[in-house]
Amino acid sequence: MHDDPRPSTWAPDSWRSRSAAQQPAWPDEAELKRVHTQLASLPPLVFAGEARHLTRSLGQAADGRAFLLQAGDCAESFSEFTADGIRDKLKVILQMAVVLTYGAGVPVVKVGRIAGQFAKPRSSPTEQVGDQVLDSFRGHMVNDDLPTRAARVPDPNRLTTAYQQSVSTLNLLRAFTKGGFADLSQVHAWNQEFVASSTEGRRFEDIAEGIDRALRFMAACGINLTGEDTLHEVDFWTSHEALILDYEEALTRRDSITQDWYDCSAHMLWVGERTRQPDGAHVEFLAGIHNPVGSKVGPDAAPDDVLALCERLNPARVPGRLTLITRFGADAVEAGLPPLLRAVRDEGHPVVWVCDPMHGNTFTAEGGRKTRRFDDIVAELRGFFAAHREVGTWPGGVHVELTGDDVTECLGGVEDIVEGQLGQRYTSACDPRLNARQSLDLAFAVAELLRG
Ligand code: PEP
Ligand code: CO
């Protein structure tokens, strides 16, 4: 017997009968249909068995036995796409995972905002650039960020380019994580030059040396380290916001083993703060796929809204199926989060509670650039851990926007980036990201909170 109460009438296009926020006004319906048909015939990016594996790992994070690290770009870019960029992003995520695993002694589930994170919800459909009013940039899956009228026209062929770029990205990620780069004996090599010469770089070297000693000790005890896959390979999963439902529908396939539907565009999909209406199209879509799914939860969410999401997205109460990513802002988290934690706990819903300390702490600096303060990011994390301690629930993970590049997009951190420096290396296609040093520093702060 299948324990899934979802109606069997669900189909990948069921979302079309609901109201779908944040969808582009595609100018040419026939062209969109043509692209959709083509995408639907192309190979899936991920395999249903992998998504089930991730659900089981996330189930441990729901139970307090693991911690989720979900990280990557706010928006992947068609123009900034290089092997080095992917490698450096993976490197910083692996370093953070080592800091968390070694520093706090919990298994870390590693999920990238990568290989599909190409679409952005916008607060306003238009933006003012100089003296023109332009349609907003909606991510490279939809239109271009250049400030011209022509660049902002949605083009469905971008869905195919996003698919192709995701294929190459995932191919490289699989090679790096299974082909030796992620071997624990490489842990020193991940420490980038500019990181090795800094405080947090030296702290990382201490951990790397500790790992070396532990490996030598195990080898000396006669343990066959060569045959131990977990020391040489890493499970690294992909995720993105399921925003453009035409794309997600086209990549949704029935698993030949279970006959269940899986969105094979990524291992995990989430709905954003602007598209999480329980009766809306995005939640309808996520309700029918069997991947692990997530929802952002902002300060406006009432306990009943969150319970409605739990019922819609995880009626069978499968641990690891649902991740709630809270993004309150540093000032609101400590008062706002506990009522939600209590409501969900009292209803017995298994949830991976994850802190996104980025999106509630964004503001526009004087030069007009969006930014975030490193200290606010850490403050929200502190409030998140305090709220979980108060209620007795498990702080199950963090969700951050970062890059391996040496950018100047978020303020503060060890280098103490100030507002005047934001323009120096600001390359994000959307929101400001932590750079490699800030990311590593953040991992040390989270490890301390986890130990506490
Ligand atoms: C994002 O994760 O980039 C995002 C837009 O977040 P939110 O939906 O929480 O605003
Ligand atoms: Co963002």
Side-chain angles (χ1 to χ4, degrees):
M1 238 298 279
H2 210 251
D3 63 352
D4 193 339
R6 263 165 294 191
S8 58
T9 54
W10 187 92
D13 66 354
S14 294
W15 64 271
R16 292 181 186 275
S17 63
R18 313 268 178 140
S19 128
Q22 299 282 342
Q23 300 308 287
W26 303 105
D28 184 345
E29 274 294 320
E31 183 71 351
L32 176 66
K33 274 219 171 73
R34 195 192 57 74
V35 168
H36 186 101
T37 307
Q38 183 196 21
L39 276 177
S41 73
L42 291 170
L45 278 115
V46 306
F47 165 56
E50 296 180 303
R52 284 192 285 274
H53 185 161
L54 177 57
T55 300
R56 285 194 297 278
S57 299
L58 289 172
Q60 304 197 322
D63 281 359
R65 290 178 291 131
F67 192 77
L68 169 65
L69 172 61
Q70 190 170 21
D73 283 309
C74 178
E76 286 176 276
S77 161
F78 287 178
S79 43
E80 304 240 338
F81 177 48
T82 63
D84 287 359
I86 296 168
R87 182 201 56 206
D88 291 345
K89 203 169 298 151
L90 176 66
K91 201 151 69 172
V92 80
I93 296 173
L94 291 178
Q95 280 188 287
M96 292 175 79
V98 160
V99 168
L100 292 169
T101 314
Y102 191 86
V106 280
V108 174
V109 184
K110 296 165 270 295
V111 179
R113 284 177 64 116
I114 199 164
Q117 177 54 28
F118 290 104
K120 298 314 299 172
R122 303 318 303 245
S123 317
S124 161
T126 56
E127 66 172 321
Q128 179 95 31
V129 182
D131 54 5
Q132 331 180 62
V133 177
L134 296 173
D135 287 341
S136 293
F137 170 56
R138 291 183 175 272
H140 280 165
M141 184 187 273
V142 176
N143 58 7
D144 196 66
D145 52 313
L146 276 176
T148 68
R149 221 171 275 285
R152 297 298 169 85
V153 176
D155 177 359
N157 290 294
R158 288 178 166 270
L159 300 175
T160 312
T161 311
Y163 167 85
Q164 283 158 350
Q165 186 163 322
S166 300
V167 170
S168 341
T169 303
L170 190 50
N171 182 52
L172 203 54
L173 288 171
R174 290 187 193 276
F176 280 142
T177 52
K178 305 291 177 188
F181 179 80
D183 194 304
L184 259 193
S185 66
Q186 296 297 306
V187 72
H188 289 281
W190 304 339
N191 215 2
Q192 287 122 324
E193 277 153 49
F194 68 94
V195 171
S197 58
S198 61
T199 329
E200 69 288 356
R202 279 192 295 277
R203 284 178 85 181
F204 186 79
E205 276 305 309
D206 289 345
I207 290 183
E209 273 154 32
I211 291 171
D212 277 351
R213 269 197 303 278
L215 292 175
R216 281 199 301 272
F217 172 74
M218 286 190 283
C221 291
I223 297 168
N224 174 12
L225 302 184
T226 322
E228 199 51 65
D229 283 351
T230 49
L231 297 176
H232 310 295
E233 295 182 355
V234 158
D235 285 330
F236 187 83
W237 313 102
T238 60
S239 71
H240 61 260
E241 177 174 348
L243 184 70
I244 306 301
L245 293 173
D246 271 296
Y247 180 79
E248 305 304 337
E249 178 193 325
L251 287 166
T252 297
R253 310 290 158 80
R254 221 189 246 284
D255 174 32
S256 58
I257 299 170
T258 61
Q259 298 303 313
D260 288 329
W261 292 105
Y262 283 84
D263 181 351
C264 297
S265 72
H267 298 109
M268 177 189 184
L269 287 310
W270 78 85
V271 287
E273 176 67 1
R274 294 161 192 80
T275 51
R276 63 171 164 76
Q277 305 78 11
D279 56 353
H282 292 81
V283 169
E284 170 64 19
F285 179 76
L286 288 198
I289 57 170
H290 282 65
N291 308 56
V293 297
S295 176
K296 292 290 194 86
V297 175
D300 298 337
D304 282 348
D305 300 332
V306 175
L307 289 177
L309 272 173
C310 292
E311 282 301 325
R312 283 285 282 135
L313 293 175
N314 194 14
R317 301 181 187 221
V318 177
R321 154 77 179 166
L322 179 61
T323 296
L324 294 178
I325 306 157
T326 61
R327 30 89 85 221
F328 275 73
D331 295 337
V333 62
E334 227 176 311
L337 184 54
L340 305 186
L341 300 179
R342 284 196 189 92
V344 171
R345 179 201 59 195
D346 292 349
E347 286 300 315
H349 269 288
V351 159
V352 186
W353 287 107
V354 170
C355 178
D356 165 359
M358 315 296 291
H359 290 89
N361 296 307
T362 318
F363 67 97
T364 304
E366 232 161 77
R369 293 196 186 268
K370 273 205 279 181
T371 189
R372 294 154 173 162
R373 286 192 188 86
F374 184 81
D375 288 349
D376 292 341
I377 293 168
V378 174
E380 175 149 2
L381 279 161
R382 238 183 254 121
F384 171 82
F385 275 84
H388 282 279
R389 204 173 312 121
E390 180 189 323
V391 180
T393 42
W394 173 246
V398 292
H399 179 119
V400 290
E401 291 181 341
L402 58 72
T403 169
D405 301 338
D406 187 17
V407 298
T408 54
E409 297 173 5
C410 291
L411 300 171
V414 272
E415 302 154 282
D416 200 17
I417 296 169
V418 296
E419 289 204 15
Q421 291 173 297
L422 287 176
Q424 287 177 2
R425 291 181 301 281
Y426 196 110
T427 56
S428 177
C430 194
D431 289 342
R433 303 158 298 175
L434 297 169
N435 62 30
R437 294 186 60 179
Q438 290 169 328
S439 302
L440 196 53
D441 211 18
L442 190 79
F444 281 110
V446 174
E448 247 155 58
L449 288 165
L450 266 171
R451 272 198 302 270

